[in-house]
């Protein structure tokens, strides 16, 4: 098909605003899928996506639409997630698009990710088509939603805003018409050497890496010799094709089109998202501008649970990482939990999704340690040719006597909110050690920019922001730098034995309160034994909080007024033995112990 009849677009929206439903209607009206093949959330084919009602992994589908002008158009729809944790997936999809449909729920109005994803689209210089969804809902407030959209950008003030019901299909035909009328055709040159963007990938154990590509210049042919410019890897195309939404083989992909290429490459590290694909025989002279790789915001440990073997966990994690470029992992060893993995995530929801995918896709259940941020530790006597230590695991945090100073990762958090929520948001940001950088007005909205430590916003800040603003505030985070912080490591001892998997890093002013709350929670979550077990929080070799986990039965040594001397002596002998054996804990810790630490962070 001629390039002038091709349209590449995405749909950007907040969670549950009807993006997947609109995608279903578009595929139905363009007869991309038959009525027999059609189903709800057709592009959200993973169990976790259907269970949570959110898109986790971007997908692509080619549709052919017969316009009212009599011309047939090729619509390449590139799906995007809506949750803040998956903004990296959104940025990948938008890099391959020329326009975007901004979808807003008429019952909820403009919300958090509406504006955040709009900013991403504008950074990519995309044409925006604003659309109001769910106009058939009894709770819909179309007029108020339209006013909110028009206040987002000056160009929206006079722009026609489409009003649809994706559920019933009402006015969806207008959206299909607007796509070819408003979104520009790709600007390409067929005669130029092949230049394509790798905007996503997946791994197949038989076929190797399957790269999702958008052709900017030239033509890609089957069995062509190709080169990845960034990685300097040459290979022969095993198969090329399009998404319908299943993979369908074709003989060629032309300039402006979106499709896939089966590389046959088994090492997933050789195919980087954002790389430029070109011909090995006649390469292009200039690569496409690449986007930054995903930056992990939160780290946590994954360990085998309930009979799961380390080998099974390793296989499941490595398989999942091949299909999620934003998920990172490294092998690690815990004295309390044995061999496991230190994993990096985009946020807490991303962590939750990974856990669920491991369980549902590989039947592997994991024990998850408390999440933490990234620290740079500068030592008094640093190693040769190493300025600082990068710490993503509290266990690796050096002894306080060796540390000169510590810096923590900070982000620039941009919050957009209606005026009436300003006070609550400023209070929330102050509680999370936010430092205001800028405060400005955007028509009837207020934009506040904070500098905040990752450790303070990584856990539940987004949900807390939604709660205090009833979902009307937005949050957009961007890595800023590393700032000097005064932090300490809290080490937990159970029955005099250190349990390294429970170590956490906290600001020094909060250490005493956090330690007290932590040991109190341990009292109710650590499995009991026949004798009382002390739980202590150690900071810089000093115990700053302690509590005893009660025994399974009454303590005969201190039972009311009647004290048993023999029982008391037996208890003392037991404690003496425990202290001498305290080099390693033999207590099996349930997930509830680690959840207690996570809930502690959420309640601060």
């Amino acid at each position: 098909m001629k390039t002038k009849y091709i349209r590449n677009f995405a749909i950007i929206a907040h969670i549950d605003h009807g993006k997947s439903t609109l995608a279903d209607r578009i595929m139905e009206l363009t007869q991309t899928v038959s009525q027999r093949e059609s189903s709800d959330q057709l592009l959200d084919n993973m169990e976790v996506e259907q269970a949570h009602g959110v898109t986790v992994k971007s997908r692509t589908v080619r549709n052919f639409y017969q316009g009212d002008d009599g011309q047939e158009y090729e619509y390449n729809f590139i799906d995007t997630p809506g949750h803040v944790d998956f903004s990296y997936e959104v940025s990948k999809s938008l890099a391959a698009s020329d326009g975007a449909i901004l979808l807003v729920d008429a019952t909820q109005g403009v919300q958090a990710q509406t504006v955040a994803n709009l900013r991403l689209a504008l950074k990519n210089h995309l044409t925006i088509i604003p659309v109001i969804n769910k106009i058939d809902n009894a709770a819909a407030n179309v007029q108020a939603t339209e006013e909110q959209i028009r206040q987002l950008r000056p160009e929206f003030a006079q722009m026609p805003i489409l009003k649809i019901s994706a559920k019933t299909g009402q006015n969806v035909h207008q959206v299909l018409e607007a796509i070819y009328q408003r979104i520009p055709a790709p600007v390409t040159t067929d005669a130029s050497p092949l230049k394509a963007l790798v905007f996503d990938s997946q791994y197949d154990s038989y076929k190797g890496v399957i790269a999702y590509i958008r052709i900017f210049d030239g033509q890609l042919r089957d069995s062509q010799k190709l080169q990845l410019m960034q990685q300097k890897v040459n290979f022969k195309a095993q198969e090329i094709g399009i998404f319908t939404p299943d993979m369908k083989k074709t003989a060629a992909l032309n300039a402006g089109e979106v499709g896939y290429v089966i590389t046959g490459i088994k090492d997933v590290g050789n195919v980087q998202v954002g790389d430029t694909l070109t011909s090995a025989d006649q390469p292009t002279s200039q690569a496409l501008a690449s986007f930054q790789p995903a930056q992990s915001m939160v780290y946590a440990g994954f360990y085998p649970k309930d009979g799961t073997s380390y080998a099974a966990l390793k296989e499941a994690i490595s398989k999942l990482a091949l299909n999620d470029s934003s998920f990172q992992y490294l092998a690690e060893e815990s004295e309390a939990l044995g061999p496991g993995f230190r994993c990096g995530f985009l946020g807490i929801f991303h962590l939750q999704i990974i856990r669920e995918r491991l369980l549902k896709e590989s039947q592997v259940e994991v024990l998850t340690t408390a999440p933490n941020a990234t620290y740079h530790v500068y030592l008094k006597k640093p190693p040769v040719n190493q300025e600082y230590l990068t710490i993503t695991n509290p266990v690796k945090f050096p002894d306080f006597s060796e540390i000169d100073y510590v810096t923590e990762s900070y982000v620039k958090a941009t919050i957009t909110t209606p005026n009436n929520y300003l006070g609550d948001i400023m209070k929330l940001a102050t509680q999370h050690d936010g430092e205001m950088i800028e405060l400005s007005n955007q028509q009837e909205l207020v934009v506040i920019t904070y500098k905040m430590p990752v450790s303070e916003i990584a856990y539940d800040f987004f949900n807390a922001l939604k709660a205090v603003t009833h979902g009307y505030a937005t949050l957009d985070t961007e890595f800023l730098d590393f700032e000097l912080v005064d932090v300490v490591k809290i080490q937990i001892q159970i029955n005099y034995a250190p349990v390294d998997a429970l170590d956490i890093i906290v600001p020094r002013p909060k250490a005493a309160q956090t330690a007290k709350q932590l040991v109190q929670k341990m009292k109710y979550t650590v499995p009991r034994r026949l004798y009382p077990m002390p739980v202590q929080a150690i900071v810089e070799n000093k115990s700053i909080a302690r509590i005893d986990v009660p025994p399974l039965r009454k303590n005969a040594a201190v039972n009311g007024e009647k004290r048993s001397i023999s029982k008391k002596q037996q208890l003392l002998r037991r404690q003496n033995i425990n202290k001498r054996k305290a080099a390693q804990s033999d207590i099996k810790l349930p997930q509830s112990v680690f959840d207690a630490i996570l809930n502690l962070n959420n309640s601060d």
Side-chain angles (χ1 to χ4, degrees), residues 320-590:
L320 194 149
L322 292 173
N323 294 301
D324 186 347
S325 57
S326 56
F327 171 58
Q328 302 169 5
Y329 71 97
L330 286 172
E332 70 173 8
E333 184 88 17
S334 166
E335 291 184 6
L337 302 178
F341 297 92
R342 175 63 37 173
C343 304
F345 310 92
L346 300 176
I348 290 297
F349 186 63
H350 188 206
L351 186 157
Q352 180 184 347
I353 290 295
I354 293 295
R355 281 178 62 180
E356 292 187 24
R357 288 187 65 184
L358 287 172
L359 179 60
K360 293 179 179 179
E361 296 175 16
S362 302
Q363 290 72 54
V364 170
E365 194 171 1
V366 295
L367 195 68
T368 309
T369 64
N372 62 275
T374 304
Y375 297 89
H376 286 172
V377 179
Y378 293 79
L379 303 178
K380 294 176 181 177
K381 295 181 179 179
V384 180
N385 299 326
Q386 190 172 1
E387 185 181 1
Y388 54 80
L389 302 178
T390 300
I391 304 297
T392 59
N393 185 351
V395 177
K396 306 291 185 182
F397 205 76
D399 187 85
F400 72 98
S401 61
E402 303 174 2
I403 297 174
D404 188 9
Y405 60 94
V406 180
T407 60
E408 181 183 351
S409 51
Y410 272 66
V411 294
K412 182 171 73 174
T414 304
I415 303 170
T416 306
T417 176
N419 281 313
N420 50 323
Y421 300 122
L422 181 60
D424 291 334
I425 290 177
M426 293 179 70
K427 182 179 178 181
L428 179 67
T430 302
Q431 291 173 349
H432 288 78
D433 296 341
E435 178 186 337
M436 185 183 293
I437 299 176
E438 186 180 1
L439 176 66
S440 61
N441 290 323
Q442 191 180 67
Q443 297 181 14
E444 294 186 9
L445 298 175
V446 178
V447 180
I448 324 168
T449 305
Y450 281 96
K451 181 170 69 175
M452 304 182 75
V454 170
S455 61
E456 288 292 332
I457 69 166
Y459 302 105
D460 205 38
F461 182 77
F462 179 61
N463 289 336
L465 180 65
K466 283 174 58 180
V468 300
T469 63
H470 307 289
Y472 283 102
T474 72
L475 174 66
D476 188 18
T477 59
E478 178 184 345
F479 175 76
L480 196 59
D481 56 12
F482 280 80
E483 296 281 338
L484 184 68
V485 290
D486 186 12
V487 294
V488 293
K489 179 170 73 170
I490 297 180
Q491 296 175 291
I492 299 298
Q493 289 185 359
I494 300 178
N495 205 24
Y496 305 105
V499 184
D500 57 356
L502 295 177
D503 291 354
I504 58 172
I505 300 172
V506 299
R508 187 182 296 274
K510 296 182 179 180
Q513 180 187 1
T514 302
K516 184 178 179 180
Q517 293 175 345
L518 186 54
V519 297
Q520 186 67 32
K521 286 181 178 288
M522 295 295 104
K523 179 179 180 179
Y524 302 103
T525 54
V526 172
R528 296 184 181 187
R529 291 193 171 179
L530 293 175
Y531 50 87
M533 294 186 300
V535 176
Q536 300 181 92
I538 309 296
V539 173
E540 296 181 347
N541 294 341
K542 297 178 182 178
S543 176
I544 63 172
R546 168 178 168 148
I547 203 164
D548 283 344
V549 176
L552 286 170
R553 60 187 180 186
K554 288 184 178 179
N555 185 358
V558 284
N559 187 14
E561 293 299 322
K562 295 181 180 180
R563 300 175 183 271
S564 170
I565 300 301
S566 62
K567 293 292 184 182
K568 182 71 172 177
Q569 290 174 338
Q570 184 181 5
L571 176 62
L572 291 173
R573 283 195 300 271
R574 166 60 64 184
Q575 289 178 338
N576 188 36
I577 293 171
N578 288 344
K579 287 181 180 179
R580 283 186 277 120
K581 290 184 175 180
Q584 185 173 0
S585 175
D586 60 347
I587 299 171
K588 301 280 186 187
L589 297 178

Side-chain angles (χ1 to χ4, degrees), residues 300-319:
F302 276 3
Y303 295 90
K305 179 183 179 183
D306 297 339
T308 300
S309 69
Y310 174 76
L313 175 59
K314 181 179 181 181
E315 182 182 355
I317 281 185
S318 59
K319 179 180 176 183

Side-chain angles (χ1 to χ4, degrees), residues 129-405:
I129 302 176
V131 177
I132 298 175
N133 189 26
K134 303 186 183 180
I135 61 171
D136 59 324
N137 194 300
N141 191 340
V142 178
Q143 184 176 353
T145 303
E146 183 175 348
E147 291 175 0
Q148 289 177 4
I149 293 174
R150 294 198 184 282
Q151 291 168 7
L152 292 175
R153 299 286 300 174
E155 56 265 32
F156 291 168
Q158 303 300 323
M159 184 182 293
I161 297 178
L162 305 178
K163 303 172 182 65
I164 69 166
S165 169
K167 184 177 181 180
T168 65
Q170 181 183 351
N171 297 336
V172 174
H173 176 75
Q174 296 178 12
V175 177
L176 292 170
E177 285 291 301
I179 291 171
Y180 76 79
Q181 292 172 358
R182 299 198 207 176
I183 295 176
V187 178
T188 62
T189 309
D190 286 319
S192 299
L194 173 65
K195 183 190 292 185
L197 173 70
V198 178
F199 67 88
D200 206 349
S201 66
Q202 70 177 75
Y203 184 82
D204 185 281
S205 54
Y206 299 103
K207 300 176 182 177
V209 177
I210 303 173
Y212 294 19
I213 56 171
R214 152 79 190 271
I215 310 292
F216 280 87
D217 286 324
Q219 184 187 62
L220 173 61
R221 299 180 306 279
D222 194 16
S223 302
Q224 185 175 351
K225 292 180 180 178
L226 302 171
Q227 181 186 83
L228 291 164
M229 298 184 71
Q230 181 179 325
Q231 296 298 111
K232 297 183 172 29
V233 175
N234 291 356
F235 65 94
K236 182 179 178 181
Q238 306 292 313
E239 178 183 311
I240 64 172
I242 61 173
F243 298 98
T244 64
D246 296 325
M247 291 192 295
K248 181 181 178 181
K249 184 178 179 180
T250 57
L253 288 172
N254 298 312
E257 294 188 322
V258 175
Y260 69 88
V261 55
I262 296 177
T263 64
I265 297 173
K266 296 295 185 179
D267 184 357
V268 69
N270 287 332
V271 185
Q272 295 289 334
V273 171
D275 206 342
T276 300
L277 182 71
T278 187
S279 169
D281 297 328
Q282 189 184 1
T284 182
S285 58
Q286 187 174 5
L288 293 164
S290 180
F291 44 86
Q292 293 293 323
Q295 290 239 0
S296 295
M297 300 287 285
V298 178
Y299 292 86
F302 276 3
Y303 295 90
K305 179 183 179 183
D306 297 339
T308 300
S309 69
Y310 174 76
L313 175 59
K314 181 179 181 181
E315 182 182 355
I317 281 185
S318 59
K319 179 180 176 183
L320 194 149
L322 292 173
N323 294 301
D324 186 347
S325 57
S326 56
F327 171 58
Q328 302 169 5
Y329 71 97
L330 286 172
E332 70 173 8
E333 184 88 17
S334 166
E335 291 184 6
L337 302 178
F341 297 92
R342 175 63 37 173
C343 304
F345 310 92
L346 300 176
I348 290 297
F349 186 63
H350 188 206
L351 186 157
Q352 180 184 347
I353 290 295
I354 293 295
R355 281 178 62 180
E356 292 187 24
R357 288 187 65 184
L358 287 172
L359 179 60
K360 293 179 179 179
E361 296 175 16
S362 302
Q363 290 72 54
V364 170
E365 194 171 1
V366 295
L367 195 68
T368 309
T369 64
N372 62 275
T374 304
Y375 297 89
H376 286 172
V377 179
Y378 293 79
L379 303 178
K380 294 176 181 177
K381 295 181 179 179
V384 180
N385 299 326
Q386 190 172 1
E387 185 181 1
Y388 54 80
L389 302 178
T390 300
I391 304 297
T392 59
N393 185 351
V395 177
K396 306 291 185 182
F397 205 76
D399 187 85
F400 72 98
S401 61
E402 303 174 2
I403 297 174
D404 188 9
Y405 60 94

Side-chain angles (χ1 to χ4, degrees), residues 518 521-522 525 591-601:
L518 186 54
K521 286 181 178 288
M522 295 295 104
T525 54
Q591 182 62 51
S592 57
V593 175
F594 301 97
D595 290 342
I597 300 178
L598 179 57
N599 293 334
L600 184 73
N601 284 308

